[in-house]
Amino acid sequence: MTRIVITGLWICAITVLSSYAVISWMPALPKPKAEEYLEGLTYQKLRPLNIPIIADGNVQGYILATIIFTADSHLIKGLGVTPEPFVMDESFRQIYSDGDLDFRNLKKYDINRRLDEIKRRVNERLGSEIVKDVMVENFNFITRKDIRS
């Protein structure tokens, strides 16, 4: 019986000493650097856009797009206006006036170029590099006959 108690105490002592050794040794390890890229950025999701596609004098359908953008939160606080209406307006303008979007003759679409142009134009209008990235969550086309009235 005493052997079991002495063995149990020995195991407890070893466990406590090894835990103490690990804790005292850990501060000497270098701390991992924080990801500075995401610091100070805010993600904002815009309400869905309904953009009419007009061809041959008729509405062919609508593009339903949901846009998300990242912006520098420090600059937004000092700006006085939010960039959401600017991103929404510029997204609508860019997609509505894009001649490459032809849903009667489908082909691969360069969305990255369009998103970069939206970001560039919004930053021009705001006068500063506030918007860091523009992303698409949804981008769908619904024909006129698929719309329920």
Side-chain angles (χ1 to χ4, degrees):
M1 175 77 178
T2 53
R3 267 189 174 173
I4 294 175
V5 171
I6 292 174
T7 304
L9 290 174
W10 177 252
I11 291 172
C12 288
I14 294 290
T15 304
V16 167
L17 288 175
S18 63
S19 297
Y20 177 74
V22 167
I23 290 172
S24 64
W25 176 69
M26 290 278 290
L29 294 176
K31 302 262 186 219
K33 290 188 178 182
E35 186 78 30
E36 294 179 16
Y37 174 73
L38 298 176
E39 189 175 318
L41 287 181
T42 182
Y43 290 84
Q44 296 184 359
K45 180 179 176 179
L46 301 176
R47 63 181 172 84
L49 291 169
N50 299 318
I51 305 164
I53 299 299
I54 300 172
D56 301 329
N58 293 321
V59 174
Q60 302 298 315
Y62 292 88
I63 291 179
L64 304 175
T66 306
I67 306 292
I68 301 171
F69 69 94
T70 60
D72 189 341
S73 59
H74 302 296
L75 292 176
I76 289 176
K77 290 177 186 173
L79 189 61
V81 296
T82 60
E84 290 131 356
F86 294 97
V87 175
M88 195 165 226
D89 177 61
E90 197 59 46
S91 300
F92 187 93
R93 288 178 189 222
Q94 290 288 320
I95 295 170
Y96 181 76
S97 64
D98 192 358
D100 293 340
L101 279 174
D102 184 10
F103 289 96
R104 294 170 295 167
N105 182 19
L106 292 177
K107 60 182 177 181
K108 195 169 186 177
Y109 182 68
D110 188 10
I111 193 81
N112 291 329
R113 181 178 57 112
R114 186 60 51 212
L115 294 174
D116 289 341
E117 184 67 18
I118 291 169
K119 180 180 89 169
R120 186 186 67 75
R121 300 283 289 278
V122 167
N123 285 333
E124 264 180 23
R125 289 170 73 179
L126 293 174
S128 180
E129 281 291 320
I130 294 174
V131 176
K132 300 296 181 189
D133 197 11
V134 179
M135 299 168 278
V136 175
E137 183 177 283
N138 268 336
F139 194 83
N140 297 313
F141 178 73
I142 298 177
T143 61
R144 198 171 95 187
K145 61 184 168 187
D146 291 338
I147 298 173
R148 288 186 242 167
S149 42

